[in-house]
Coordinates of all heavy atoms in Angstrom, one line a residue:
L4 N 13.8 0.8 13.2 CA 12.8 0.1 12.4 C 12.9 0.5 10.9 O 13.0 1.7 10.6 CB 11.4 0.3 12.9 CG 11.1 -0.4 14.2 CD1 9.6 0.0 14.7 CD2 11.2 -1.8 14.2
F7 N 7.8 -0.5 6.4 CA 7.3 -1.6 5.7 C 6.6 -1.1 4.4 O 6.2 0.1 4.3 CB 6.4 -2.5 6.5 CG 5.1 -1.8 6.9 CD1 4.0 -1.7 6.1 CD2 4.9 -1.4 8.3 CE1 2.8 -1.1 6.5 CE2 3.7 -0.9 8.7 CZ 2.7 -0.7 7.8
H8 N 6.3 -2.0 3.5 CA 5.6 -1.7 2.3 C 4.4 -2.7 2.3 O 4.6 -3.9 2.5 CB 6.4 -2.0 1.1 CG 5.7 -2.1 -0.2 ND1 5.2 -1.0 -0.9 CD2 5.2 -3.2 -0.9 CE1 4.5 -1.4 -2.0 NE2 4.5 -2.7 -2.0
A10 N 0.8 -3.5 0.1 CA -0.2 -3.3 -1.0 C -1.5 -4.0 -0.7 O -1.4 -5.2 -0.4 CB 0.5 -3.7 -2.3
V26 N -9.9 11.3 5.2 CA -10.4 10.8 6.5 C -9.2 10.5 7.4 O -9.1 11.0 8.5 CB -11.3 9.7 6.4 CG1 -11.7 9.1 7.7 CG2 -12.5 10.0 5.5
E28 N -6.1 11.3 6.7 CA -5.2 12.4 6.6 C -3.7 11.9 6.3 O -2.7 12.4 6.8 CB -5.2 13.3 7.8 CG -6.5 14.0 8.0 CD -6.6 14.9 9.1 OE1 -5.6 15.2 9.8 OE2 -7.7 15.5 9.4
D40 N 0.0 5.5 -3.8 CA 0.8 5.3 -2.7 C 0.5 6.3 -1.6 O 0.1 7.5 -1.9 CB 2.4 5.7 -3.0 CG 3.1 4.7 -3.7 OD1 2.6 3.5 -3.8 OD2 4.2 5.0 -4.2
Q70 N -14.7 -9.0 19.2 CA -14.6 -9.8 17.9 C -13.6 -9.1 17.0 O -14.0 -8.1 16.3 CB -15.9 -10.0 17.3 CG -17.0 -10.8 18.2 CD -16.4 -12.1 18.6 OE1 -16.0 -12.9 17.8 NE2 -16.5 -12.4 19.9
G77 N -2.3 -2.5 10.5 CA -2.3 -1.1 11.0 C -0.9 -0.7 11.5 O 0.1 -1.3 11.0
K83 N -0.1 9.6 22.7 CA -0.7 11.0 22.3 C -1.2 11.0 20.9 O -2.3 11.5 20.7 CB 0.4 12.1 22.5 CG -0.2 13.5 22.2 CD 0.8 14.6 22.4 CE 0.3 16.0 22.0 NZ -1.0 16.1 21.3
T84 N -0.4 10.5 20.0 CA -0.8 10.4 18.6 C -2.1 9.5 18.5 O -3.0 9.9 17.7 CB 0.3 9.9 17.7 OG1 1.5 10.7 17.8 CG2 -0.1 9.8 16.3
A115 N -3.8 0.7 24.0 CA -5.0 1.3 23.4 C -5.2 0.7 22.1 O -4.2 0.4 21.4 CB -4.8 2.8 23.4
F119 N -11.4 -0.4 12.5 CA -12.4 0.1 11.6 C -12.1 -0.4 10.2 O -11.0 -0.9 10.0 CB -12.6 1.6 11.6 CG -11.3 2.4 11.4 CD1 -10.9 2.8 10.1 CD2 -10.5 2.7 12.5 CE1 -9.7 3.5 9.9 CE2 -9.3 3.4 12.3 CZ -8.9 3.8 11.0
S123 N -13.5 -0.4 1.1 CA -13.5 -1.7 0.4 C -13.6 -2.9 1.4 O -13.5 -4.0 0.9 CB -12.3 -1.8 -0.5 OG -12.4 -1.0 -1.6
K130 N -3.0 0.9 17.3 CA -2.8 0.7 18.8 C -1.7 1.5 19.3 O -0.9 2.1 18.5 CB -2.5 -0.8 19.0 CG -1.3 -1.4 18.4 CD -1.0 -2.8 18.8 CE -2.0 -3.8 18.5 NZ -1.7 -5.1 18.8

Side-chain angles (χ1 to χ4, degrees):
L4 289 177
F7 68 75
H8 164 82
V26 176
E28 299 181 4
D40 280 348
Q70 300 300 312
K83 180 180 179 344
T84 302
F119 53 90
S123 288
K130 60 173 64 178

